[in-house]
Amino acid sequence: MRLFVSALALTSLLAAPAAATPSSALREADVALHDATLAGRRLLQVLDETRRSGDRARSRCVDVKLSQVNSFQRVLSERRARLAAAIARGDEETARHHRVVIRTLHRQLRAAERAGRACVMPEVEADGRTVVEVIISPDVPDEDPSILSEEERRRR
């Protein structure tokens, strides 16, 4: 039982966000806000290209994801301002809360951008992985050439 409690306590300590300096917390918020701006620009380019292609369903999908990214950008900007105010007041508890919220929004922002790109590139999964479909020709022999004898390999 002691081992379980110790392991649980260690896990909770490792999962908790590390104490950060005010400048690192603000820098992290600035990075998230910058990423939101870039994600919005990239999806706007994808939307323009999709509209030019005339694919209305994909355009609508990208447009929805772009709206979500723009919303994340607004919320991140607001949360960054609240974080700065909490730091200025010396309210560590509130600052920690806003930092956790900013981290969560940043992860969700990246997921929304990936989903927006997946609207026009279905081979890209929502988690950013590329799906590769391999088609093997029916002319390919079933035998494994590594287990063939030297004489059999020469004949082929």
Side-chain angles (χ1 to χ4, degrees):
M1 184 66 172
R2 273 188 180 163
L3 180 61
F4 175 73
V5 173
S6 298
L8 185 60
L10 180 61
T11 304
S12 65
L13 285 175
L14 293 175
T21 62
S23 63
S24 70
L26 288 173
R27 193 169 36 254
E28 190 176 341
D30 289 339
V31 167
L33 199 51
H34 181 70
D35 284 354
T37 302
L38 293 178
R41 287 180 188 164
R42 286 188 293 260
L43 281 183
L44 187 58
Q45 288 176 337
V46 170
L47 180 60
D48 288 342
E49 292 168 9
T50 308
R51 283 181 175 160
R52 280 194 295 274
S53 75
D55 191 336
R56 292 174 61 135
R58 288 184 177 182
S59 293
R60 196 173 319 114
C61 178
V62 175
D63 188 44
V64 167
K65 296 305 173 185
L66 177 59
S67 294
Q68 289 176 358
V69 166
N70 290 337
S71 177
F72 279 119
Q73 185 178 10
R74 285 189 302 274
V75 173
L76 280 166
S77 178
E78 179 183 318
R79 288 295 178 156
R80 193 235 180 258
R82 289 181 182 181
L83 173 65
I87 289 171
R89 285 191 316 269
D91 187 351
E92 291 180 21
E93 181 79 22
T94 302
R96 187 174 20 258
H97 169 73
H98 288 301
R99 188 170 190 202
V100 169
V101 170
I102 288 169
R103 284 179 176 174
T104 303
L105 290 169
H106 196 189
R107 278 194 307 274
Q108 291 173 346
L109 164 76
R110 286 191 230 124
E113 183 188 7
R114 283 191 304 269
R117 285 184 282 137
C119 291
V120 294
M121 297 176 281
E123 64 274 4
V124 176
E125 291 289 322
D127 63 358
R129 293 179 295 152
T130 302
V131 176
V132 178
E133 185 175 326
V134 178
I135 300 172
I136 300 174
S137 170
D139 300 334
V140 175
D142 290 334
E143 300 92 24
D144 183 1
S146 65
I147 59 172
L148 297 176
S149 69
E150 283 296 319
E151 185 179 316
E152 290 174 323
R153 283 188 214 153
R154 276 187 253 133
R155 279 189 277 165
R156 292 183 186 249

